[in-house]
Amino acid sequence: PFGVREGFGVYLDGVNLPNEVYRDYDSNFVVSELDRLLSGHGSVESHWQGPTETALYVYGDSNAVMKSLVADFLASYPLCRGARLIDLTPA
């Protein structure tokens, strides 16, 4: 519901990783794995692809809980190397 959920963006580096990472790993897998790990607490609800990075927008019940649920995956999956996590706060 509006005004109750929290969110953060996962910004994947689209230009500085080795070419084989972009060839061998898939951002669609990142989305499905984040959704699996966040089950019951949140989900990836949108994305944006720019010239140098791709953003995945995650919303759910608690940024702290959601970030802890996905931390190990983000730290270990090669396509997530160097990803930035930015809290999304209302203006």
Side-chain angles (χ1 to χ4, degrees), residues 31-54:
V31 171
S32 65
E33 189 64 5
L34 292 178
D35 281 342
R36 183 187 72 77
L37 293 167
L38 293 167
S39 181
H41 295 282
S43 64
V44 177
E45 296 194 9
S46 184
H47 73 280
W48 170 84
Q49 187 164 358
T52 61
E53 56 189 354
T54 297

Side-chain angles (χ1 to χ4, degrees), residues 14-81:
V15 294
N16 296 306
L17 300 176
N19 288 336
E20 52 274 4
V21 171
Y22 299 115
R23 183 190 68 221
D24 297 342
Y25 298 92
D26 185 3
S27 60
N28 291 313
F29 177 74
V30 175
V31 171
S32 65
E33 189 64 5
L34 292 178
D35 281 342
R36 183 187 72 77
L37 293 167
L38 293 167
S39 181
H41 295 282
S43 64
V44 177
E45 296 194 9
S46 184
H47 73 280
W48 170 84
Q49 187 164 358
T52 61
E53 56 189 354
T54 297
L56 307 174
Y57 298 109
V58 176
Y59 292 93
D61 55 12
S62 165
N63 277 355
V65 169
M66 292 187 297
K67 286 179 180 179
S68 70
L69 291 171
V70 301
D72 288 343
F73 172 71
L74 293 176
S76 65
Y77 193 68
L79 193 57
C80 299
R81 194 173 312 137

